[in-house]
Amino acid sequence: MGEVTAQVPGPRERALQESCCSIGLPDADYERRAWTRLDSLTKPPRSLGQLEEIAARMAAVQRSERPTASPAAVTLFAGDHGVVAEGVSAWPSEVTYQMMANFVAGGAAINQIASFVGAKLVLTDVGVASDTSGLPGVVQAKVRPGTRNMALEQAMTREEAAEAVLVGIDTVRRLAAEGIKVIAVGEMGIGNSTAAAALAAAYTGVPVSRVIGPGTGLDDAGMTRKSAVVDRAIRLHRPLADDALGTLAALGGLEIAAMAGVFLGCAAEHVCGVADGFISAAASLVAANLCPESLASVFGSHLSDEPGHSVALVPLELDPFLHLHMRLGEGTGAALAIPVMGAACAVLNGMATFGEAGVTERPEDDR
Amino acid sequence: MGEVTAQVPGPRERALQESCCSIGLPDADYERRAWTRLDSLTKPPRSLGQLEEIAARMAAVQRSERPTASPAAVTLFAGDHGVVAEGVSAWPSEVTYQMMANFVAGGAAINQIASFVGAKLVLTDVGVASDTSGLPGVVQAKVRPGTRNMALEQAMTREEAAEAVLVGIDTVRRLAAEGIKVIAVGEMGIGNSTAAAALAAAYTGVPVSRVIGPGTGLDDAGMTRKSAVVDRAIRLHRPLADDALGTLAALGGLEIAAMAGVFLGCAAEHVCGVADGFISAAASLVAANLCPESLASVFGSHLSDEPGHSVALVPLELDPFLHLHMRLGEGTGAALAIPVMGAACAVLNGMATFGEAGVTERPEDDR
């Protein structure tokens, strides 16, 4: 465990620190101009609610008077979890690999939803236990074949955790160079709701019991076991709130680290990031603790039925607007947000002003 | 007022009664088959929550194993309200006509959103005070040039109310014949949140104060006035809960009647209807009281910020999943639901089963 509290950062940790230094806030001037235009359009002011806020934030992130949700991508990171040895998941670890094969074949929920919303699906192996190099189209960026069991030792070294975050940052850099404007994040990793719960408890300080849920289908006994395992891991590693990377290394997952990297990368590249459900929220907490400015470029999507999601959201100011009781992951909720974001841009970019349309403004209007 | 309690129905009321008789429930057998398939797909069972329920209900409504949200239409009905003379709206009545001109020119929010989601926009004048026949593309179905002032007399005769409902039913019949599979409803009518509040209070029995909101932007004094006007109208007409058409005639709007007709027509033609916000919910109450089976073909979309919406929803079992704090109307929220419904169908129709994908099912699975 000595490495978690090491004083001399390794090369990947230093590279990550440098990446974080380059991140600023979205451009408030573009946001102001978007609001001026939104308030001149033929509708009662602010009557499209959060749809207008989404459009104005997208203008600020993209530094554009005419933001867009197209082209969009869904980046799905896969990784395995040593903590599955503790019996914390209803499904065996090999399902992570099998689902990667299913994604490649086009048979999973995210394939259908990403295709329906017109988003390109990018699959990355950042830590699957099995070899995925035979699966065509899977980006090979394995940091290690699954994390270690956090109940016994730290899940990753600091350098491994930093490397996984850098995989996410690099993914965004490549997609931004292709012209991608919106990136929804997703994951596949049997056991990752346990890692997400540990991170959420460590970063927010809420009791573990409040962030434990059934994941992909645990029964009550399984949830009690999961809660005890997370408690044990937190007591073992005693993560420090102000050591964001050390907390991630002790309790996290490789795919969660990469997702945090996507959020950092989006902020650096002026791309709109979209968070998914509970695992995403844990990754958002990692990103927010590594670089607080980064989350101003990230949008909420759906509110998951996994109980920890709403708890993890409290410090995040993400505002999920799809309430569909989903709890699948893969980026399915984040992908569903893409057409809503596109519609928000269409409103900002395409509506007529009161003057253009010849519609009477309110006589008592005091805007 | 004699006509509201007339014992002998006129020809349009009889035609409406006949239309209602032909309405049945969606086909439960298709819904069962959809669930069997959904539960065999490569995801934890029911983990896509309401998205799966939407797909299964769409299968039942459309009587299809492979339901679809395409092609879709937004039907927008416009009408004026005599009650505007009581000072219940922040905007003058001529804005109804001006916005119709704006819809025709493509400058309004619903133009942008309908176009973005790929839905055809159908504009119908069912009761605008001004002549809209010079506006190209507006379907001319004016029952009368606006309702009467419900605070002084009944808003419509029973025959006028029935005729306006039939306009909505006919609209669906035409669109269904064109092959339209999903119809989102919208409206434009200065003053219609007052009519919707009166209908919601009359049909649900909740106090008027709970269904009064700012509409398109009333201040507190305006809301007090609006509440008093609705109270006065309800005391004047004493609508009977079991006389659905009489209640609509006394307190309703022509566009609200036509929207109720859309819901009845969707049920008759096996098309999925989509309700929008508060005005839509009032129209849903009309439809549910005219023919309780009809609403099984109608889907919720967004939860409006207008306070009466959640109250009106209680008896309806519509389940809005978009929480965007919108309160514009025009069908904007309903239109945003179309891509979510399309994604739900894509999941049902396109995902692989566990067997097809070679993914391990849960060993303890007891489905």
Side-chain angles (χ1 to χ4, degrees):
Chain A
M1 270 178 293
E3 202 182 350
V4 170
T5 52
Q7 295 306 304
V8 182
R12 294 188 184 79
E13 182 169 352
R14 285 199 307 275
L16 175 56
Q17 285 167 348
E18 275 165 35
S19 284
C20 287
C21 286
S22 72
I23 290 172
L25 286 170
D27 191 322
D29 198 44
Y30 280 100
E31 188 157 359
R32 268 190 299 274
R33 274 185 273 174
W35 279 118
T36 301
R37 179 165 162 79
L38 286 164
D39 286 344
S40 75
L41 301 175
T42 46
K43 56 178 179 49
R46 311 293 163 113
S47 60
L48 286 175
Q50 201 180 342
L51 204 67
E52 298 186 45
E53 291 166 23
I54 290 169
R57 281 188 63 206
M58 289 180 75
V61 171
Q62 297 180 4
R63 304 186 175 198
S64 168
E65 294 195 13
R66 298 290 179 267
T68 175
S70 175
V74 176
T75 58
L76 191 159
F77 297 91
D80 275 305
H81 292 263
V83 73
V84 166
E86 305 293 330
V88 293
S89 175
W91 303 65
S93 274
E94 63 253 34
V95 168
T96 303
Y97 174 87
Q98 291 169 348
M99 283 302 295
M100 284 297 269
N102 195 21
F103 299 141
V104 168
I110 190 58
N111 296 100
Q112 296 304 317
I113 296 177
S115 166
F116 184 81
V117 303
K120 164 183 174 161
L121 179 61
V122 180
L123 304 169
T124 304
D125 174 358
V126 66
V128 181
S130 315
D131 180 8
T132 66
S133 62
L135 297 175
V138 173
V139 178
Q140 297 295 319
K142 202 191 301 275
V143 173
R144 50 173 287 118
T147 54
R148 299 174 191 85
N149 180 352
M150 69 162 119
L152 303 176
E153 55 188 326
Q154 60 182 88
M156 299 168 271
T157 65
R158 294 180 80 92
E159 281 295 280
E160 287 164 350
E163 187 179 342
V165 176
L166 290 168
V167 167
I169 295 176
D170 276 349
T171 302
V172 176
R173 204 169 285 153
R174 279 201 319 276
L175 291 171
E178 285 178 26
I180 294 286
K181 299 297 184 188
V182 171
I183 297 180
V185 294
E187 40 57 46
M188 179 68 220
I190 296 299
N192 66 10
S193 68
T194 301
L199 291 171
Y203 285 122
T204 68
V206 303
V208 169
S209 59
R210 290 196 51 212
V211 290
I212 292 293
T216 47
L218 273 189
D219 56 15
D220 285 352
M223 285 205 280
T224 304
R225 198 160 55 236
K226 185 171 171 179
S227 192
V229 167
V230 172
D231 260 329
R232 180 145 49 106
I234 290 180
R235 279 200 312 274
L236 174 66
H237 303 297
R238 300 183 178 283
L240 297 170
D242 63 349
D243 181 11
L245 187 66
T247 301
L248 172 65
L251 306 170
L254 293 150
E255 79 283 36
I256 297 175
M259 292 164 87
V262 168
F263 298 140
L264 298 172
C266 283
E269 300 287 339
H270 315 307
V271 168
C272 299
V274 187
D276 192 38
F278 178 49
I279 315 299
S280 243
S284 305
L285 286 167
V286 174
N289 279 278
L290 286 168
C291 172
E293 292 84 358
S294 64
L295 284 201
S297 299
V298 180
F299 295 73
S301 62
H302 82 117
L303 181 65
S304 167
D305 248 20
E306 183 73 8
H309 192 201
S310 48
V311 177
L313 285 170
V314 173
L316 287 176
E317 297 187 65
L318 297 174
D319 205 357
F321 49 83
L322 284 160
H323 290 217
L324 284 159
H325 305 288
M326 290 164 56
R327 51 181 181 80
L328 174 59
E330 299 179 4
T332 47
L336 284 175
I338 292 172
V340 177
M341 296 171 76
C345 294
V347 161
L348 171 62
N349 300 339
M351 275 183 72
T353 64
F354 280 98
E356 288 162 4
V359 175
T360 309
E361 288 203 64
R362 288 167 56 186
E364 70 271 47
D365 206 347
D366 54 1
R367 279 176 287 126
Chain B
M1 270 179 293
E3 202 180 351
V4 170
T5 51
Q7 296 305 303
V8 182
R12 293 188 184 80
E13 182 169 351
R14 285 199 307 274
L16 175 56
Q17 285 167 347
E18 275 164 36
S19 285
C20 287
C21 286
S22 72
I23 292 172
L25 287 169
D27 191 324
D29 198 47
Y30 280 100
E31 189 157 358
R32 269 190 299 274
R33 273 185 273 174
W35 279 118
T36 301
R37 178 164 164 81
L38 287 163
D39 285 344
S40 75
L41 301 175
T42 46
K43 56 179 179 47
R46 311 294 163 110
S47 61
L48 285 175
Q50 201 179 343
L51 204 66
E52 298 185 48
E53 292 166 22
I54 290 169
R57 280 188 62 207
M58 289 179 74
V61 171
Q62 296 180 3
R63 304 185 175 200
S64 167
E65 294 195 15
R66 297 292 180 266
T68 174
S70 175
V74 177
T75 58
L76 191 160
F77 296 91
D80 275 306
H81 292 262
V83 73
V84 166
E86 305 292 329
V88 293
S89 174
W91 303 65
S93 274
E94 63 254 34
V95 168
T96 303
Y97 173 87
Q98 291 169 349
M99 284 302 295
M100 283 297 270
N102 195 22
F103 299 141
V104 168
I110 190 57
N111 296 101
Q112 297 304 317
I113 297 176
S115 165
F116 184 82
V117 303
K120 163 182 175 165
L121 178 60
V122 180
L123 304 169
T124 303
D125 174 358
V126 66
V128 181
S130 315
D131 180 8
T132 65
S133 63
L135 297 175
V138 174
V139 177
Q140 298 295 319
K142 201 191 299 277
V143 173
R144 50 173 288 118
T147 54
R148 299 176 191 84
N149 180 352
M150 70 163 115
L152 305 177
E153 55 188 326
Q154 61 183 87
M156 298 168 271
T157 65
R158 295 179 80 92
E159 280 295 282
E160 286 164 351
E163 186 178 343
V165 175
L166 291 168
V167 167
I169 295 177
D170 276 349
T171 301
V172 176
R173 206 168 285 154
R174 278 200 319 276
L175 291 170
E178 285 177 26
I180 294 287
K181 299 296 185 189
V182 171
I183 298 180
V185 294
E187 40 58 44
M188 178 69 220
I190 296 299
N192 67 11
S193 68
T194 301
L199 291 171
Y203 285 122
T204 67
V206 303
V208 169
S209 60
R210 290 195 52 211
V211 290
I212 292 293
T216 48
L218 273 188
D219 57 15
D220 285 352
M223 283 205 280
T224 304
R225 201 161 51 236
K226 185 171 170 178
S227 192
V229 166
V230 172
D231 261 329
R232 181 145 48 104
I234 290 180
R235 280 202 311 274
L236 174 64
H237 302 297
R238 301 182 177 283
L240 298 170
D242 62 351
D243 180 14
L245 187 66
T247 301
L248 172 65
L251 306 170
L254 292 150
E255 78 283 37
I256 297 174
M259 293 164 87
V262 168
F263 297 140
L264 298 174
C266 283
E269 300 286 339
H270 314 307
V271 168
C272 300
V274 188
D276 191 39
F278 178 49
I279 317 298
S280 243
S284 305
L285 286 168
V286 174
N289 279 277
L290 285 170
C291 172
E293 292 84 359
S294 65
L295 283 200
S297 300
V298 180
F299 295 74
S301 62
H302 82 116
L303 181 65
S304 167
D305 248 19
E306 184 72 9
H309 192 201
S310 47
V311 177
L313 285 170
V314 172
L316 287 175
E317 296 185 68
L318 298 173
D319 205 357
F321 48 82
L322 285 159
H323 290 216
L324 284 159
H325 305 288
M326 290 165 56
R327 52 179 181 82
L328 174 58
E330 299 178 4
T332 47
L336 284 175
I338 293 172
V340 177
M341 295 171 75
C345 293
V347 161
L348 171 62
N349 300 339
M351 275 182 72
T353 63
F354 280 98
E356 288 162 4
V359 174
T360 309
E361 289 203 65
R362 289 165 58 186
E364 70 269 48
D365 206 346
D366 55 1
R367 278 177 288 127

